[in-house]
Amino acid sequence: MGNTSLFDKALGLEQSGRFAEALQLFQACFADPTFDEGDLCFHCGWCLENEKNAGRAVAFYEKAAALTRIPSCKLNGYFRAGWVLMHEKSFAQAADMFRFAIDYGELVALKNETFVHAVYWHALCLESQGCYLDALKWYRLAQALAPQIGPESRMRQILCLNRVGLFEEALNVCRTFDAPAPEEFDYARYEALRMDVEKERAMYGEQCLMPRTCSRVSHAIS
């Protein structure tokens, strides 16, 4: 690597939240070809994301994924691009980015925490586009890969099943919340999910006799 003092100074500014200043120094590092260009692009994207410049952040993250020689940087580049696009409500584009992260993680056997979260948020982006059956597949995969996010995945499954009229199956998933929270899962969050599930269970008791579509999808991106 080249001018490590310049890079380290940029890192220090980034870590202290001085993103605009850090961005300038990271960009100065592009003049040195010994740096991994994709890694520099990722740091620029992170600074821009924190500066609330979504469009430029996504462009840098995509460039990071395309140029880096570092597998974790490529995976993270795709993931951050998807994350920013999702919060911009560009769900189709976000789903593509998360899928790129998933496919790359599969290719290089890099199934880390970022990979697992890419699976979950890919599902949510599909759900947000009304692709409920496809979303169900990915929520179930996320649950299988990481039990610690299982409660969130199961809640989304209930809502997707409800949307497509599979009320009996939804009720079966509701019953899984009778079990205690997984280890390391936030207790207060689990109790909040269980309260939502209890409301769903009351409704499904009626829906099994007289089906109707629930108008509520909780925890949607605002």
Side-chain angles (χ1 to χ4, degrees), residues 39-52:
D39 186 49
L40 293 176
C41 286
F42 183 87
H43 283 287
C44 290
W46 179 249
C47 291
L48 287 161
E49 181 182 347
N50 282 279
E51 287 287 297
K52 311 302 181 186

Side-chain angles (χ1 to χ4, degrees), residues 33-158:
T34 61
F35 283 107
D36 183 280
E37 188 175 356
D39 186 49
L40 293 176
C41 286
F42 183 87
H43 283 287
C44 290
W46 179 249
C47 291
L48 287 161
E49 181 182 347
N50 282 279
E51 287 287 297
K52 311 302 181 186
N53 192 329
R56 290 187 67 202
V58 169
F60 270 106
Y61 284 141
E62 289 181 319
K63 195 173 181 182
L67 296 177
T68 187
R69 301 182 298 273
I70 306 167
S72 60
C73 182
K74 183 182 284 287
L75 183 68
N76 287 338
Y78 285 135
F79 181 87
R80 294 310 310 175
W83 182 262
V84 174
L85 287 164
M86 180 176 65
H87 284 82
E88 292 293 302
K89 301 189 184 300
S90 297
F91 295 114
Q93 292 174 278
D96 287 343
M97 289 296 142
F98 289 131
R99 184 60 189 268
F100 291 154
I102 295 164
D103 289 346
Y104 180 71
E106 290 276 7
L107 179 66
V108 300
L110 184 58
K111 295 184 179 180
N112 57 12
E113 185 176 1
T114 301
F115 173 87
V116 172
H117 283 280
V119 172
Y120 178 85
W121 294 111
H122 178 62
L124 189 139
C125 288
L126 292 172
E127 180 189 347
S128 298
Q129 297 174 79
C131 303
Y132 302 115
L133 292 176
D134 285 342
L136 274 168
K137 177 182 72 173
W138 291 101
Y139 283 133
R140 287 166 176 159
L141 178 58
Q143 178 185 342
L145 288 170
Q148 66 270 27
I149 64 170
E152 300 287 355
S153 297
R154 284 183 276 135
M155 187 69 220
R156 302 309 312 181
Q157 290 172 47
I158 291 166

Side-chain angles (χ1 to χ4, degrees), residues 159-174:
L159 299 171
C160 288
L161 289 163
N162 187 53
R163 288 290 189 174
V164 296
L166 296 174
F167 305 117
E168 294 280 2
E169 190 171 345
L171 185 56
N172 287 334
V173 180
C174 285

